[in-house]
């Protein structure tokens, strides 16, 4: 079965890209031409799920789609640096007798254009460059180039954007479009294919879902015969077997009230919406959500994944019943799933290990704090906020902050009084 490559871009670039894709027998090409940047998302939306990978003819369409955020498969754009730009400058120099200093450029960063000119042996450097991050309009680029040309500072414009090229031509400004080279397109397609292979490998990694469920909740409050207890456990197993079948996985018991489901990363990733939500166990399988505490482990082998799932379960239990956490093969931890306060932190960090040696705090505690600060986008926090984020007691949070203060890794920078009758809360600034 062929891979579907979606290609979106300007008409002239797509001709080159499409001719290159014919060299890849494993690819099937879906081509979308745009003429205005504001139409890109509308053109792409009906086909967003029709491709395994997306290739864009330049930085602007790529940035627009990336900001849109609806494409979840590998994406890339064809760079205009390298042979593409060299071909354009060679034409200007030998056919038009125009020096680099008399040309206005866009898209490239100062550093990459400087390096390119240096490596190409072009002396004197450039004078006029409009660099932009993300999205820019054709009108804005055209205004930049036209102004310099009208003032006599330049003799020509070099643009990477097709719509700016058309706009400048309409205004009568001498303009030269940097088009992708076949070798550049080939390199990007090879990169996309390698990325797809890597993601396919990750999808087939082993995933283990370790669940703790009390199968006897419905029997609480009375005295029951042994058969009643066995029937309750059998009912739980039947529900879990249906759930395991849904995941194309296998089920095994891992201790009293503990069950492990073995499946693949890709399947579990889909079931949890990219490891962000908990699946609806109650609606689909009759398993009460608040009765399940779960750890998900990813590993290269079943044994590694099971160990990681057990570790993730411990982290979930630390946060209380009915929480779900994920432990990945790179030792990063994510969770709780379904929470607006979901954190992502690492259990292994050289920097935090060094800090851990200076304090009585574990690397895991420091990693959680680091993740909370990054999520809050501030280095200031009080004990109440830390306790809420970590789901620990306020006194435990105060102990963490006081320990950091005592080791010179935090300092008190103020006080807050949310309640007139309560004692003020110290605000700490973490200084590591």
């Amino acid at each position: 079965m062929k891979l579907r490559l979606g290609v979106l871009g300007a008409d002239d670039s797509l001709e080159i890209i499409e001719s290159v894709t014919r060299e890849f027998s494993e690819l099937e090409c879906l081509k979308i031409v745009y003429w205005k940047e504001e139409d890109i998302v509308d053109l792409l939306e009906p086909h967003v799920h029709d491709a395994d990978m997306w290739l864009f003819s330049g930085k602007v369409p790529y940035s627009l789609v990336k900001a849109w955020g609806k494409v979840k498969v590998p994406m890339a754009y064809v760079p205009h640096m390298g042979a593409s730009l060299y071909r354009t400058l060679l034409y200007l120099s030998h056919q038009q007798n125009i020096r680099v200093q008399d040309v206005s450029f866009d898209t490239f960063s100062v550093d990459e254009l400087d390096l390119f000119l240096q490596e190409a042996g072009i002396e004197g450097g450039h004078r006029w460059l409009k660099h932009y991050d993300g999205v820019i309009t054709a009108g804005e680029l055209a205004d930049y180039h036209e102004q310099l040309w009208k003032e006599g500072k330049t003799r020509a414009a070099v643009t990477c954007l097709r719509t700016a090229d058309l706009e400048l031509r309409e205004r009568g400004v001498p303009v030269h479009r940097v088009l992708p080279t076949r070798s550049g397109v080939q390199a990007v397609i090879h990169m996309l294919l390698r990325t797809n292979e890597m993601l396919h490998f990750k999808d087939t990694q082993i995933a283990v879902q370790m669940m703790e469920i009390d199968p006897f909740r419905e029997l609480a409050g009375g005295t029951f015969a042994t058969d009643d207890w066995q029937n309750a456990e059998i009912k739980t197993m039947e529900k879990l077997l249906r759930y395991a079948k849904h995941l194309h996985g296998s089920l095994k018991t891992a201790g009293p009230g503990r069950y492990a489901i073995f499946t693949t990363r890709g399947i579990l990733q889909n079931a949890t919406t990219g490891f962000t939500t908990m699946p609806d166990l109650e609606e689909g399988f009759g398993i009460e959500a608040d009765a399940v505490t779960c750890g998900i482990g990813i590993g290269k082998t079943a044994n590694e994944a099971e160990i990681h799932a057990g570790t993730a379960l411990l982290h979930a239990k630390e946060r209380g019943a009915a929480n779900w956490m994920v432990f990945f093969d790179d030792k990063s931890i994510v969770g709780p799933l379904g929470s607006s306060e979901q954190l992502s932190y690492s259990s292994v960090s050289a920097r935090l290990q060094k800090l851990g040696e200076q304090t009585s705090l574990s690397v895991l505690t420091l990693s959680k704090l680091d993740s909370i600060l990054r999520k809050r986008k501030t280095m200031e926090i009080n004990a109440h906020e830390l306790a809420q984020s970590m789901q620990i007691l306020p006194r435990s949070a105060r102990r963490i902050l006081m320990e950091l203060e005592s080791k010179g890794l935090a300092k008190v920078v103020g006080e807050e009084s949310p309640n007139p009758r309560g004692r003020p809360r110290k605000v700490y600034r973490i200084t590591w």
Side-chain angles (χ1 to χ4, degrees):
M1 184 176 176
K2 290 190 174 184
L3 290 170
R4 296 163 297 172
L5 175 66
V7 182
L8 186 149
D11 58 324
D12 53 355
S13 294
L14 283 193
E15 289 180 15
I16 300 168
I17 294 171
E18 192 178 18
S19 69
V20 174
T21 60
R22 297 192 194 106
E23 301 171 8
F24 294 82
S25 58
E26 67 268 48
L27 292 179
E28 183 179 283
C29 193
L30 165 64
K31 184 175 74 171
I32 300 175
V33 180
Y34 81 90
W35 292 96
K36 295 180 179 178
E37 281 75 24
E38 55 265 33
D39 296 336
I40 287 175
V41 169
D42 290 336
L43 289 168
L44 180 61
E45 189 165 16
H47 305 285
V48 70
H49 300 299
D50 294 343
D52 301 300
M53 306 171 289
W54 282 95
L55 177 59
F56 301 92
S57 64
K59 184 178 180 180
V60 169
Y62 170 85
S63 299
L64 275 166
V65 174
K66 187 177 180 182
W68 181 47
K70 297 291 181 68
V71 175
K72 303 301 181 183
V73 296
M75 300 191 304
Y77 66 90
V78 181
H80 292 89
M81 188 53 76
S84 301
L85 180 58
Y86 188 78
R87 181 176 59 189
T88 303
L89 295 183
L90 197 63
Y91 173 80
L92 286 171
S93 174
H94 290 271
Q95 301 296 323
Q96 302 292 316
N97 197 29
I98 297 176
R99 301 180 309 155
V100 170
Q101 293 81 7
D102 299 325
V103 175
S104 55
F105 298 89
D106 62 43
T107 305
F108 312 113
S109 71
V110 173
D111 289 342
E112 65 181 351
L113 186 54
D114 282 343
L115 182 60
F116 169 80
L117 295 175
Q118 181 181 341
E119 290 181 344
I122 299 174
E123 298 178 356
H126 59 88
R127 290 179 182 170
W128 316 107
L129 171 62
K130 177 72 170 179
H131 173 65
Y132 55 91
D133 288 313
V135 180
I136 195 169
T137 65
E140 188 177 346
L141 284 182
D143 289 344
Y144 170 77
H145 291 295
E146 183 184 29
Q147 182 71 24
L148 291 169
W149 179 70
K150 282 186 171 180
E151 292 174 358
K153 295 177 179 177
T154 61
R155 293 177 59 194
V158 169
T159 183
C160 299
L161 195 63
R162 172 61 162 163
T163 49
D165 172 51
L166 294 172
E167 178 76 17
L168 286 164
R169 290 178 189 278
E170 193 172 314
R171 298 184 188 187
V173 178
V175 59
H176 300 271
R177 165 103 153 99
V178 181
L179 285 167
T181 61
R182 292 179 60 84
S183 60
V185 175
Q186 287 171 342
V188 176
I189 291 177
H190 279 299
M191 182 272 292
L192 278 172
L193 288 171
R194 288 196 300 271
T195 302
N196 184 73
E197 288 175 6
M198 180 191 71
L199 291 175
H200 177 71
F201 168 73
K202 290 184 77 172
D203 280 349
T204 57
Q205 282 183 299
I206 302 296
V208 175
Q209 191 171 342
M210 191 79 70
M211 309 167 77
E212 278 198 359
I213 305 174
D214 181 1
F216 314 123
R217 281 179 47 149
E218 58 194 57
L219 304 179
T223 303
F224 301 91
T226 303
D227 287 348
D228 294 325
W229 292 90
Q230 289 177 341
N231 288 336
E233 189 169 15
I234 289 170
K235 285 181 181 179
T236 298
M237 287 287 288
E238 287 174 347
K239 294 173 183 176
L240 287 172
L241 281 167
R242 290 200 302 273
Y243 176 55
K245 185 177 179 181
H246 170 72
L247 296 177
H248 302 283
S250 60
L251 174 70
K252 80 169 190 178
T253 58
R258 183 177 289 189
Y259 309 88
I261 295 175
F262 290 76
T263 181
T264 64
R265 176 179 184 148
I267 290 173
L268 208 49
Q269 185 167 307
N270 289 336
T272 57
T273 321
F275 299 114
T276 60
T277 64
M278 296 183 290
D280 191 348
L281 298 179
E282 194 160 355
E283 180 70 24
F285 309 97
I287 303 171
E288 295 181 26
D290 61 353
V292 181
T293 305
C294 177
I296 295 172
I298 309 296
K300 297 179 181 66
T301 65
N303 182 59
E304 182 182 67
E306 190 170 5
I307 291 170
H308 290 172
T311 304
L313 181 60
L314 290 176
H315 285 279
K317 290 170 71 175
E318 278 183 5
R319 304 186 73 88
N323 277 295
W324 290 44
M325 301 290 286
V326 186
F327 193 104
F328 292 99
D329 55 328
D330 63 358
K331 310 303 181 187
S332 63
I333 303 164
V334 169
L337 303 191
S339 169
S340 59
E341 296 299 317
Q342 182 170 315
L343 300 174
S344 176
Y345 50 92
S346 174
S347 63
V348 178
S349 166
R351 178 177 69 89
L352 296 179
Q353 281 181 337
K354 198 169 183 180
L355 291 173
E357 293 170 2
Q358 301 174 38
T359 71
S360 62
L361 304 174
S362 69
V363 174
L364 183 58
T365 296
L366 293 170
S367 185
K368 287 180 180 179
L369 174 57
D370 189 49
S371 178
I372 290 165
L373 294 171
R374 281 188 282 108
K375 191 176 181 70
R376 287 165 53 88
K377 296 182 180 178
T378 177
M379 298 301 286
E380 295 183 3
I381 194 168
N382 63 44
H384 178 73
E385 293 165 336
L386 182 59
Q388 282 188 321
S389 298
M390 278 193 173
Q391 291 190 356
I392 58 178
L393 294 173
R395 66 171 177 268
S396 299
R398 281 194 292 274
R399 183 186 69 80
I400 292 170
L401 294 172
M402 290 170 66
E403 172 66 10
L404 290 172
E405 182 189 18
S406 70
K407 297 299 188 295
L409 299 173
K411 62 181 180 180
V412 178
V413 293
E415 290 186 341
E416 296 175 335
S417 299
N419 188 330
R421 296 187 177 182
R423 72 179 185 182
R425 295 171 180 168
K426 292 181 179 179
V427 178
Y428 290 81
R429 179 179 293 138
I430 310 303
T431 58
W432 60 38

